Amino acid sequence: MGTTIDPSRCPYMKPHVLIVEDDFLQAANLAEVVQQDLDAQPLAVASVSEALKIIPDDIELAILDIEVMDGTSFPAARKLMQNDIPFIFVSANARASLPDDLKKVPFLSKPFVPGNLVRVSKALMPALARDHDFERKLQR
């Protein structure tokens, strides 16, 4: 297991956002929003088993589909909770399908509205809300 890095301690490092989504087009859409609108680094995986291998390594936020190629993402969600990592469900499943211990987690229905994802993400993870313009100018 690696070391978790606090992006607020290094202004040039982009926050990492884990995406657990097995549909390639959905994963690409989510990754684009993460990269473009949140100015964060997307880390996309297609299965719960892949996600469990990298949680909590350098993850500041996660976006989870409920049903992926190897089952539901609930084990990953619980591991995120254990590590105090905020996350959002983005799924075509009904919110009612969530187990009781996960019902309070933010939930967006597919097809998702990018602005809603950005708004919820920034509310959950203040590091995503910071302005990176200054850092971009320094890198030029």
Side-chain angles (χ1 to χ4, degrees):
M1 192 174 295
T3 304
T4 300
I5 298 171
D6 180 0
S8 65
R9 299 176 104 194
C10 180
Y12 307 108
M13 184 176 166
K14 292 183 179 188
H16 290 118
V17 176
L18 173 64
I19 299 168
V20 181
E21 172 62 68
D22 61 349
D23 179 278
F24 177 78
L25 292 176
Q26 286 290 331
N29 288 338
L30 289 164
E32 182 177 352
V33 171
V34 166
Q35 197 167 31
Q36 299 298 318
D37 299 331
L38 295 175
D39 194 29
Q41 180 64 44
L43 304 171
V45 298
S47 69
V48 175
S49 59
E50 291 175 285
L52 290 172
K53 290 178 188 174
I54 60 174
I55 298 169
D57 293 352
D58 300 331
I59 305 297
E60 286 83 33
L61 177 74
I63 301 168
L64 309 176
D65 186 10
I66 291 177
E67 294 200 23
V68 292
M69 63 190 326
D70 60 348
T72 67
S73 62
F74 302 149
R78 290 183 179 108
K79 188 169 180 182
L80 289 162
M81 288 176 82
Q82 289 171 351
N83 287 280
D84 294 322
I85 300 169
F87 61 97
I88 306 162
F89 285 112
V90 176
S91 179
N93 287 34
R95 185 178 193 61
S97 69
L98 293 173
D100 288 341
D101 64 328
L102 299 174
K103 287 196 185 289
K104 293 183 180 181
V105 173
F107 183 96
L108 298 175
S109 295
K110 287 182 183 175
F112 71 95
V113 175
N116 291 343
L117 180 62
V118 169
R119 193 170 22 266
V120 172
S121 298
K122 287 182 176 182
L124 290 174
M125 191 62 220
L128 296 174
R130 72 178 182 198
D131 186 358
H132 290 281
D133 287 340
F134 179 71
E135 288 93 350
R136 284 191 197 126
K137 289 176 186 172
L138 288 176
Q139 291 175 349
R140 288 184 186 163

